[in-house]
Amino acid sequence: MLRIVVPLVLSLLCGTVAAEPLHGIALHGIAMHGEPALPADYKHFPYVNPDVKKGGKITYGVVGTFDNLNPFILKSMRTTARGMWDPDYGNLVYESLMQRSRDEPFTLYGLLAETVEWDDDRRFIQFNLNPKAKWADGQPVTPEDVMFTFELMRDKGRVPFANRLNVVAKMEKVGEHSVRFTFNDKADRETPLIFGLFPVLPKHAIDPATFDRSSLTPPVGSGPYKVKTVKPGESITYERDPNYWGKDIPAKVGTDNYDQITVQYFLQDTTLFEAFKKGDVDIYPDGNPGHWANAYNFPAVTSGAVVKDVFTPKLPSGMLGFVFNTRRPIFADPKVREGLSLVFDFEWANKNLYSGAYKRTQSFWQNSELSSFGVPANAAELALLGPIKDKIAPEILDGTYKLPVTDGSGRDRNVLKQAVEQLKQGGYTIQGGKMLDGSGRQLAFEIMTQNADQEKLAVAYQRSLQTIGIAVSIRTVDDSQYQSRTNSFDYDMIMKSYTSSLSPGNEQLGRWSSAAKTREGSDSFAGAADPDLDALIDHLLRARSAEDFTAAVRSYDRLLLSGHYVLPLYHMDQQWVARSKRIGHPDAVPLYGYQLPVWWDASAQ
């Protein structure tokens, strides 16, 4: 099906538009690499129960607070009510143009856009809206809504939404139901898919002049739920929209199964868990091995009213670690960062704090073919790296690198000796029991933590650092202060988790690009600013074949590891969730692990 471009008035000129008209074939889905796994006539995603009866309710619990219902603005970006636009609970109120399948690395299927069109070079993408798509007030979702949203986000939205039009040469309405984006030379091969995940807001129900102000007024969305009640900072309750337009489209079959969804807020995780024990909260994802092993001896577990589930996703490990803020002069030298990383005694922490449940993380993509761990760089990687390979540690380049294994004492002399040698190369020596620089200043820094579990790990690290004369303080702050300080990069060291997927892409720009270093609210927690990292990110974004993509990610992984921006901690191959027996879920576990939006209330069956 070919469509001829019929431009409306428009909108945006940010670069050079291709002179010849661009045509495409209408597709039901698009994939980053290869083709979608599901055919055009697919009925539902493979990890849902298509026969589930909708009804009942669920209550989620989160630690934190909220003062805002707008998830797209910088103000209160970390304190927006969960569920409005949510990777865990689902996009309950707002929807994107397309829906991501969690059983494929990066594939999108039709949602607000019934079909899409693009060319082989991905110079453009055209979203053909579903004529049935409607807002909660009954108004149709239109191309004007899509264009309005992109321009509103550009002017009033937060990163990354605010930056999307930077890669667009032309945005235009095509026919009655379609919007086309023609890209400039700043775009890459992932860009069209990122646009598919862009939210759409109703032009008729939003005042652009006040959009960037925090608000608790329930908005108009196109999603399966409406906001029912709001208790600022305490809870938000959503109710199913009985007139939801998309309940029967394949990407939504078997999802959004409750009549009512409530999100309760708690000041501490211990309080949240107590609420779960009492039955006030229905789901408790647990990432603490000691807690998982020892905390479930209450009556509801004994009686079977609470069930403990273990899920095994097929995902890369990601990277949890202590992050060095390289904006701080003390962490500017990678030799210093490497030396400080060696001091942490994983074996002691794993045995004494976590009952030996964890594995040491050695790569940002461990447990997947994208990882460089244990894999020597092949010819394709070496050709891609060129002179960059000289910045990568030889043992990381040849796949023999491995973090040291200690004797588990918390002060392994051999490993500490290695650390001292690295710190010496960074200009520090031990004098009078203190680690001093050439000017006689002691190496000292603060670790900012956000809960008791992080603090416990920081204390273990602090103890080891003190043995070689390094002064470390630990400051545990409340959620709002933590978010404020991380937004403005006001810390020496924090703990962060860098999630990883089988299709890393534009999110790497926010984490590791030079441009993100000074962008408030970005995920550039380490403050990296390396042109070679920028170049490797560009390679992975522009890779066409699966082979080129794998080579690009592995090379990128090697350079990140050689930079020692993060002190790697640990990971687990399983996901643990405790739930009320009343809450059911499908047997099938997709590639990305369990998916809460496809669970249901068993009492409604």
Side-chain angles (χ1 to χ4, degrees):
M1 172 178 171
L2 296 179
R3 295 174 181 265
I4 305 299
V5 178
V6 185
L8 193 72
V9 205
L10 163 16
S11 263
L12 185 67
L13 291 171
C14 305
T16 304
V17 183
E20 74 279 7
L22 300 173
H23 306 287
I25 298 174
L27 305 168
H28 74 291
I30 51 176
M32 182 64 195
H33 299 104
E35 300 296 328
L38 302 177
D41 61 351
Y42 84 102
K43 304 302 182 185
H44 55 80
F45 287 145
Y47 50 89
V48 307
N49 176 359
D51 301 319
V52 66
K53 294 180 180 178
K54 299 185 185 298
K57 60 184 179 179
I58 190 170
T59 298
Y60 297 116
V62 296
V63 175
T65 187
F66 74 96
D67 57 10
N68 183 30
L69 297 186
N70 186 344
F72 307 116
I73 58 175
L74 181 60
K75 188 178 293 183
S76 303
M77 66 176 287
R78 303 287 183 180
T79 54
T80 298
R82 294 289 305 273
M84 304 295 296
W85 176 260
D86 198 294
D88 297 319
Y89 305 150
N91 300 331
L92 305 182
V93 174
Y94 297 108
E95 291 186 303
S96 51
L97 288 159
M98 304 188 77
Q99 181 77 18
R100 185 169 187 170
S101 168
R102 291 298 174 177
D103 205 36
E104 301 174 55
F106 194 5
T107 300
L108 307 182
Y109 294 90
L111 185 56
L112 286 173
E114 186 175 28
T115 59
V116 294
E117 303 171 32
W118 63 0
D119 65 338
D120 287 342
D121 291 331
R122 302 187 185 181
R123 292 177 297 166
F124 77 93
I125 189 164
Q126 180 169 308
F127 298 100
N128 305 317
L129 299 181
N130 192 319
K132 298 178 182 178
K134 288 185 170 48
W135 301 106
D137 61 6
Q139 296 291 315
V141 178
T142 66
E144 286 80 6
D145 289 321
V146 178
M147 295 191 292
F148 166 79
T149 303
F150 273 86
E151 293 176 329
L152 179 66
M153 294 293 196
R154 176 196 62 197
D155 299 336
K156 297 292 185 77
R158 66 171 173 86
V159 173
F161 305 106
N163 298 335
R164 294 295 182 238
L165 283 179
N166 292 348
V167 300
V168 174
K170 188 176 184 181
M171 175 172 68
E172 59 194 331
K173 179 178 178 180
V174 179
E176 187 177 354
H177 296 292
S178 302
V179 180
R180 173 174 291 211
F181 297 89
T182 304
F183 300 116
N184 60 34
D185 57 8
K186 297 178 183 177
D188 54 58
R189 293 186 62 77
E190 188 185 33
T191 300
L193 286 88
I194 295 299
F195 274 49
L197 294 175
F198 203 81
V200 180
L201 309 182
K203 182 177 181 180
H204 68 279
I206 290 177
D207 179 2
T210 60
F211 180 75
D212 56 354
R213 301 177 193 171
S214 294
S215 173
L216 291 172
T217 302
V220 175
S222 64
Y225 292 88
K226 297 179 180 180
V227 174
K228 180 180 180 181
T229 57
V230 176
K231 296 180 180 178
E234 297 180 17
S235 69
I236 180 168
T237 298
Y238 303 90
E239 62 181 351
R240 178 196 310 287
D241 181 354
N243 300 312
Y244 173 51
W245 73 273
K247 62 181 181 297
D248 295 322
I249 67 172
K252 297 298 282 183
V253 168
T255 69
D256 314 312
N257 296 321
Y258 309 101
D259 284 344
Q260 180 175 292
I261 297 175
T262 299
V263 182
Q264 294 272 10
Y265 285 77
F266 300 86
L267 295 179
Q268 296 178 330
D269 189 68
T270 52
T271 314
L272 192 166
F273 188 65
E274 288 302 314
F276 173 71
K277 289 167 64 175
K278 291 190 296 182
D280 295 336
V281 170
D282 295 313
I283 298 282
Y284 186 81
D286 199 329
N288 185 319
H291 191 269
W292 184 251
N294 303 313
Y296 294 85
N297 55 359
F298 51 92
V301 176
T302 305
S303 70
V306 163
V307 179
K308 296 172 70 180
D309 285 325
V310 177
F311 302 95
T312 304
K314 305 175 187 68
L315 286 174
S317 63
M319 176 65 75
L320 170 69
F322 287 107
V323 181
F324 299 98
N325 185 357
T326 63
R327 302 170 184 85
R328 299 289 203 250
I330 56 168
F331 295 146
D333 190 332
K335 290 295 183 183
V336 172
R337 303 195 295 269
E338 182 177 3
L340 292 171
S341 296
L342 291 171
V343 177
F344 180 74
D345 193 329
F346 166 74
E347 282 66 34
W348 184 94
N350 195 34
K351 177 183 176 182
N352 291 279
L353 301 180
Y354 307 119
S355 306
Y358 286 122
K359 296 179 181 178
R360 189 75 193 267
T361 304
Q362 310 272 1
S363 158
F364 284 78
W365 284 274
Q366 198 163 331
N367 301 333
S368 80
E369 65 174 8
L370 301 179
S371 174
S372 66
F373 178 56
V375 181
N378 59 22
E381 272 196 75
L382 294 174
L384 185 152
L385 283 166
I388 298 176
K389 68 178 182 296
D390 298 330
K391 289 181 62 174
I392 296 175
E395 61 272 21
I396 293 179
L397 198 63
D398 65 21
T400 60
Y401 174 76
K402 187 176 183 180
L403 289 162
V405 177
T406 72
D407 60 13
S409 66
R411 51 176 67 208
D412 186 310
R413 290 182 177 274
N414 291 328
V415 176
L416 290 176
K417 183 178 179 181
Q418 295 177 45
V420 170
E421 286 299 315
Q422 289 294 334
L423 290 167
K424 187 175 182 180
Q425 294 184 48
Y428 287 93
T429 55
I430 298 178
Q431 302 174 40
K434 295 182 178 180
M435 186 69 70
L436 306 178
D437 66 10
S439 301
R441 288 187 295 266
Q442 185 178 16
L443 178 53
F445 58 91
E446 177 186 271
I447 303 175
M448 184 174 71
T449 58
Q450 62 183 141
N451 55 49
D453 289 335
Q454 287 189 4
E455 184 178 328
K456 190 184 302 182
L457 200 63
V459 168
Y461 186 32
Q462 177 191 49
R463 190 182 304 121
S464 296
L465 289 164
Q466 287 172 341
T467 64
I468 56 172
I470 298 172
V472 175
S473 59
I474 300 170
R475 182 185 296 255
T476 300
V477 300
D478 61 32
D479 185 68
S480 60
Q481 185 179 353
Y482 184 87
Q483 300 303 344
S484 174
R485 288 183 61 180
T486 52
N487 283 349
S488 58
F489 312 119
D490 179 21
Y491 51 83
D492 296 335
M493 175 180 281
I494 55 174
M495 280 182 65
K496 277 293 176 182
S497 177
Y498 296 87
T499 56
S500 59
S501 75
L502 293 170
S503 185
N506 275 302
E507 78 283 353
Q508 302 302 317
L509 293 168
R511 297 175 181 181
W512 299 107
S513 72
S514 300
K517 177 179 179 178
T518 57
R519 188 183 301 140
E520 184 174 322
S522 77
D523 291 337
S524 179
F525 302 116
D530 182 351
D532 291 330
L533 277 177
D534 297 336
L536 293 184
I537 293 172
D538 185 65
H539 279 304
L540 73 87
L541 291 177
R542 295 187 181 279
R544 291 200 175 205
S545 70
E547 293 76 13
D548 288 346
F549 182 69
T550 299
V553 179
R554 284 182 183 170
S555 299
Y556 177 53
D557 188 31
R558 295 184 204 277
L559 189 58
L560 284 174
L561 294 170
S562 292
H564 299 283
Y565 298 103
V566 179
L567 190 173
L569 292 176
Y570 48 74
H571 66 275
M572 193 176 301
D573 298 335
Q574 297 177 328
Q575 298 170 330
W576 299 330
V577 183
R579 61 179 167 90
S580 164
K581 185 181 180 181
R582 183 177 56 81
I583 303 301
H585 61 73
D587 293 331
V589 180
L591 190 69
Y592 280 82
Y594 72 91
Q595 302 296 311
L596 293 176
V598 308
W599 292 21
W600 60 79
D601 187 334
S603 67
Q605 303 310 299

